[in-house]
Amino acid sequence: CESYHLPAHVTPHIDFVTPTIHFDAKISKRSTTHPIPVGAPGQGITPKTTGQINNIITHLEDCDQQITPECLRALYGFYYEPVAADKNSFGIVEYTPNAYIQSDLDSFAKNFSTGLEGISPILISIDGGIAQQNTKGLNYNGESNLDLEYAMTLVTAKQNVTLYQVGDLYAGASFNNFLDALDGTYCNYEGGDNPAKYPDPNPLGYQGKTQCGTVKPANVISTSYGYNEADLSLKYTARQCNEYAKLGLMGVTILYSSGDYGVAGGGNICLNPDGVQNTTGKIFNPTFPATCPYITAVGGTQVVPGKSVSEPESACEKVFYSGGGFSNHFAMPDYQKSAVTGYLSQHPPAYPSSIWNSTGTFLGILIANCDTCCCQIDGSYSLVFGTSAAAPVVGAMLTMVNDARIALGKSTIGFINPVIYASNFTGSFHDITNGTNQGCGTDGYSSATGWDPVTGLGTPNFPVMLANWLLH
């Protein structure tokens, strides 16, 4: 239904009623609503691709044509060998039926790493999650393969990568299932969160109970799935956002990709004044959880065609546009105000205030290259695109920051946003000054010197970033 009403004396005691204006939509191939793997075409079940390739280019001078792990290391100065891997952890979240193929990971490892052939991620099943192998192809393996191939390669064979596989093949799962497994109090907090319920009524599905507080979170957790913020009610998103705040306070860094449709929502749909989302809408449509102020959203860049890894990148504009903009649910946090105010005073967007919200949380904070990534999928190499590729790349770098800190007896970095916006972190990021993130019939926002709503703080300058974090 489009709306519902409660008696006035009941209203102060109720956050939301479900299912009403939305279901707790399952993250699965069968869903025709969101959440979807951020950065996917059509129903949003895979990263974007321009098709298979016959040859892998391994020279750094060709990184404008194909991105490989070595291109990423060169772009961001990311040369680091783990020294405290046994005390550190890095997690990737996937939702069934999306699954990785071990032979693809092995082939990628043979070409781009040392010591990873035959190595699998540490699988932690949540609510019957399985890396199914019955149905294969880009739609089922693209996201998981992409995330794990780059995450595992960049942290090297010395550091284990944990795979949180969520939901069985029948009931599916949502972010609530994952959060319940990490925090048992969330399962029943003020009436509960209504995740996919288990035991699965399908006798072939998972017959255990919904997991509550059974899983230990990794130090860094990267997720490349998301909703459109407008899919969900205010108090629903607030509850989930508060869970991410709790994880941050526990020393866990939460990353979400920002989306691939610029200022539009997943599926390239925008908002209308009545709140309806469609392809003819004109109001900017941010993604969630990228808009939650307690997570770090990761957008995307590209090597400029004809340029090298030693030259400045630009915002992605080939096959997709990096998600960026301002929340309609969450007010701008204090740590962002100075950067955002500075940009808006010098580069005010030429759009009426009715189509964008300058007072909300900005959803793109860090970026990394996610353009023309070479990825092994179902036995063949393809070029894939999307911020879903950028999130695990940034996650790998932050995992190695934790490694260095742990080796010195320091804590993990946890919730990083206030730190990376601080003035003493200047120089930790490469400023990106070219490109836009068009959508909703507009050019979107424009990149500029310093912080901007397309590329946020910029791409990591790993050596400087690591040195700054070791001072704290």
Side-chain angles (χ1 to χ4, degrees):
C1 62
E2 296 180 356
S3 64
Y4 63 86
H5 304 275
L6 297 171
H9 69 285
V10 173
T11 300
H13 306 286
I14 301 296
D15 279 354
F16 54 85
V17 179
T18 186
T20 48
I21 58 172
H22 66 78
F23 292 88
D24 187 41
K26 310 302 184 295
I27 303 177
S28 75
K29 181 179 185 298
R30 299 176 305 281
S31 176
T32 56
T33 60
H34 305 286
I36 59 176
V38 171
Q43 286 186 311
I45 50 177
T46 62
K48 287 179 170 62
T49 180
T50 53
Q52 296 181 0
I53 54 176
N54 295 321
N55 299 304
I56 302 171
I57 299 175
T58 57
H59 304 293
L60 287 179
E61 56 266 29
D62 297 317
C63 291
D64 62 326
Q65 301 175 50
Q66 291 181 18
I67 288 292
T68 65
E70 280 308 303
C71 294
L72 297 170
R73 294 191 188 280
L75 282 166
Y76 308 127
F78 186 36
Y79 299 99
Y80 183 91
E81 288 289 327
V83 293
D86 59 328
K87 300 177 182 178
N88 198 13
S89 54
F90 179 23
I92 300 291
V93 185
E94 304 291 348
Y95 290 85
T96 310
N98 293 281
Y100 76 93
I101 298 175
Q102 184 62 47
S103 59
D104 286 342
L105 300 192
D106 290 342
S107 175
F108 193 85
K110 183 178 180 180
N111 284 289
F112 298 113
S113 67
T114 301
L116 274 174
E117 284 188 74
I119 302 298
S120 304
I122 299 172
L123 185 131
I124 294 182
S125 173
I126 296 174
D127 293 341
I130 60 168
Q132 63 84 23
Q133 302 293 298
N134 293 329
T135 308
K136 298 181 179 180
L138 179 69
N139 289 355
Y140 293 90
N141 309 120
E143 186 63 63
S144 297
N145 277 8
L146 176 65
D147 293 344
L148 292 169
E149 286 170 5
Y150 279 82
M152 294 172 67
T153 299
L154 290 172
V155 298
T156 79
K158 295 179 180 179
Q159 175 64 60
N160 289 325
V161 173
T162 297
L163 168 62
Y164 298 109
Q165 188 75 40
V166 190
D168 73 3
L169 282 167
Y170 304 97
S174 74
F175 294 147
N176 281 336
N177 291 83
F178 179 61
L179 291 170
D180 282 345
L182 299 185
D183 176 14
T185 67
Y186 189 55
C187 288
N188 300 304
Y189 173 71
E190 293 190 353
D193 54 22
N194 191 49
K197 298 296 185 182
Y198 291 100
D200 191 327
N202 188 316
L204 298 178
Y206 172 62
Q207 296 303 303
K209 294 182 179 179
T210 300
Q211 291 179 232
C212 293
T214 60
V215 174
K216 180 181 178 180
N219 294 333
V220 175
I221 298 175
S222 173
T223 305
S224 297
Y225 298 74
Y227 297 86
N228 291 342
E229 190 181 65
D231 290 338
L232 306 167
S233 63
L234 283 165
K235 289 189 175 180
Y236 182 102
T237 56
R239 282 192 177 201
Q240 282 196 359
C241 191
N242 288 342
E243 284 298 298
Y244 299 124
K246 290 162 67 175
L247 287 165
L249 291 171
M250 293 168 59
V252 178
T253 304
I254 302 293
L255 305 176
Y256 275 90
S257 49
S258 68
D260 295 347
Y261 294 94
V263 296
N268 204 27
I269 60 177
C270 301
L271 287 164
N272 291 279
D274 60 0
V276 172
Q277 303 177 75
N278 56 37
T279 56
T280 60
K282 301 299 182 184
I283 300 172
F284 296 176
N285 193 13
T287 61
F288 176 81
T291 52
C292 169
Y294 303 121
I295 66 96
T296 302
V298 183
T301 55
Q302 65 184 35
V303 175
V304 177
K307 301 295 184 180
S308 72
V309 293
S310 62
E311 296 175 274
E313 296 178 84
S314 72
C316 279
E317 295 183 306
K318 288 181 185 176
V319 177
F320 74 99
Y321 296 88
S322 183
F326 299 89
S327 173
N328 295 316
H329 284 195
F330 300 100
M332 188 180 299
D334 288 343
Y335 64 75
Q336 283 187 333
K337 287 182 178 178
S338 177
V340 176
T341 301
Y343 175 87
L344 294 180
S345 65
Q346 298 179 45
H347 310 280
Y351 309 124
S353 59
S354 58
I355 71 169
W356 67 290
N357 179 15
S358 65
T359 64
T361 302
F362 169 69
L363 66 85
I365 292 177
L366 290 178
I367 51 176
N369 196 292
C370 57
D371 180 76
T372 61
C373 286
C374 183
C375 180
Q376 174 93 4
I377 304 171
D378 197 19
S380 301
Y381 278 94
S382 297
L383 293 183
V384 296
F385 305 73
T387 57
S388 56
V393 170
V394 171
M397 286 187 264
L398 296 180
T399 298
M400 294 300 95
V401 170
N402 277 336
D403 180 271
R405 286 179 58 86
I406 291 169
L408 295 176
K410 296 177 179 285
S411 65
T412 55
I413 54 179
F415 175 45
I416 68 172
N417 296 4
V419 176
I420 61 179
Y421 270 89
S423 59
N424 59 1
F425 243 66
T426 301
S428 295
F429 308 101
H430 301 290
D431 191 18
I432 306 299
T433 60
N434 295 308
T436 63
N437 64 343
Q438 62 182 262
C440 301
T442 74
D443 289 332
Y445 301 103
S446 298
S447 301
T449 301
W451 183 94
D452 62 68
V454 184
T455 62
L457 294 168
T459 59
N461 181 343
F462 183 77
V464 179
M465 182 174 70
L466 176 60
N468 279 333
W469 247 308
L470 293 181
L471 293 175
H472 290 77

